Amino acid sequence: MPNDLSLTAPLTCGDCPIKHRAVCARCDADELHRLDEIKYYRTFEAGQTVIWSGDKMDFVGSVVSGIATLTQTMEDGRTQMVGLLLPSDFVGRPGRDGAAYDVVATTDLVMCCFRKKPFETMMLETPHIAQRLLEMTLDELDAAREWMLVLGRKTAREKIASLLSIIARRNATLDLKPAEGQLVFDLPLTREAMADYLGLTLETVSRQMSALKRDGVILLEGKRHVTVPDFTRLQDEAGDDNDGGWLS
């Protein structure tokens, strides 16, 4: 079962490390106070299920720290990872009762949850919250379309480089740093999870990570701590242009 408030979780919205990217990014002090009154924190250990597909959701919320996966189960029992939830990503849909996907904590996870009905009321009374959520939803749609290209048209090496560049770019944004030059981050996924998400074998992921390391595209300390000496080169390896778009 999920735990209550984690000692690592912020106590107020004003202290939140994701506030500049989250759904509440444009809220003033009074609005943040209202959100404080309807929110609570939940923590999950790696491997725990946050919500099952089809379950009724009485909350919506944002990932504060950690990472979760969105997975879908087919009729024959096979599962497919269809998305990642990184810090500041939103979970749940106002106005929709059920969960569309299984949400599973890949690492230890802290979520800021809002009671659903009061949050829906606040959306109606505070249009810029609804606008921010729309922007985040459109960003999610763009990311899903881009990921279709990664899975369908890219080589194994490009897939690995694409995933690394996505995580590096998001990590830089959360730290309020430009995604350029040297970037350092901890890879939140195991090699097995990377293989599942990218539609590759574990052996292929390990081989391509080693090749990127050998070629100087990345530096690895252990299996998780990654240094990208030159983000532009990583984007080139991924088939991306310098502003994060996709080359034709």
Side-chain angles (χ1 to χ4, degrees):
M1 293 296 292
N3 302 315
D4 292 327
L5 176 63
S6 166
L7 294 176
T8 61
L11 297 177
T12 67
C13 290
D15 298 325
C16 184
I18 62 167
K19 62 182 179 181
H20 56 284
R21 279 189 57 88
V23 69
C24 53
R26 296 173 188 157
C27 291
D28 60 27
D30 289 341
E31 291 160 350
L32 289 177
H33 179 70
R34 287 185 63 188
L35 287 174
D36 271 331
E37 293 178 336
I38 65 171
K39 82 163 192 280
Y40 55 96
Y41 291 103
R42 297 175 74 181
T43 64
F44 299 83
E45 295 179 356
Q48 283 189 301
T49 298
V50 177
I51 190 77
W52 293 101
S53 174
D55 281 357
K56 185 175 181 178
M57 291 188 67
D58 59 1
F59 72 93
V60 294
S62 298
V63 175
V64 177
S65 65
I67 187 171
T69 60
L70 299 173
T71 61
Q72 194 162 32
T73 303
M74 292 176 278
E75 290 184 358
D76 62 3
R78 288 178 295 167
T79 61
Q80 174 63 51
M81 191 186 305
V82 297
L84 292 176
L85 293 171
L86 301 172
S88 80
D89 284 341
F90 197 76
V91 180
R93 292 289 182 268
R96 184 179 297 175
D97 289 334
Y101 303 102
D102 297 338
V103 180
V104 180
T106 302
T107 66
D108 290 346
L109 187 74
V110 177
M111 285 192 59
C112 175
C113 302
F114 303 104
R115 288 183 286 120
K116 193 170 184 180
K117 291 301 181 182
F119 183 82
E120 290 173 343
T121 298
M122 192 166 177
M123 281 183 61
L124 295 174
E125 297 172 350
T126 316
H128 61 72
I129 292 181
Q131 182 182 17
R132 175 60 184 150
L133 184 57
L134 174 60
E135 291 172 355
M136 295 173 71
T137 302
L138 293 174
D139 287 344
E140 182 182 319
L141 177 60
D142 287 343
R145 288 170 172 168
E146 290 173 349
W147 200 247
M148 289 173 62
L149 174 62
V150 173
L151 296 181
R153 302 296 296 177
K154 290 194 172 188
T155 66
R157 183 181 176 103
E158 288 173 333
K159 288 180 180 181
I160 296 293
S162 294
L163 180 58
L164 293 175
S165 67
I166 288 169
I167 295 172
R169 196 161 50 234
R170 284 291 299 273
N171 190 74
T173 300
L174 286 169
D175 290 340
L176 299 177
K177 298 177 181 177
E180 59 187 28
Q182 177 175 292
L183 298 176
V184 181
F185 60 94
D186 289 322
L187 188 62
L189 295 172
T190 64
R191 301 284 174 90
E192 291 85 355
M194 291 173 65
D196 186 21
Y197 190 42
L198 295 168
L200 302 172
T201 65
L202 175 59
E203 292 76 14
T204 297
V205 171
S206 296
R207 187 168 57 249
Q208 294 301 330
M209 288 288 287
S210 296
L212 290 170
K213 177 182 177 181
R214 183 184 62 244
D215 295 342
V217 180
I218 61 173
L219 305 176
L220 288 175
E221 183 179 333
K223 291 187 175 181
R224 297 290 189 91
H225 192 68
V226 180
T227 298
V228 179
D230 182 358
F231 186 61
T232 298
R233 184 180 178 194
L234 179 63
Q235 288 181 299
D236 290 342
E237 293 287 350
D240 300 349
D241 63 23
N242 290 334
D243 62 3
W246 303 93
L247 293 172
S248 59

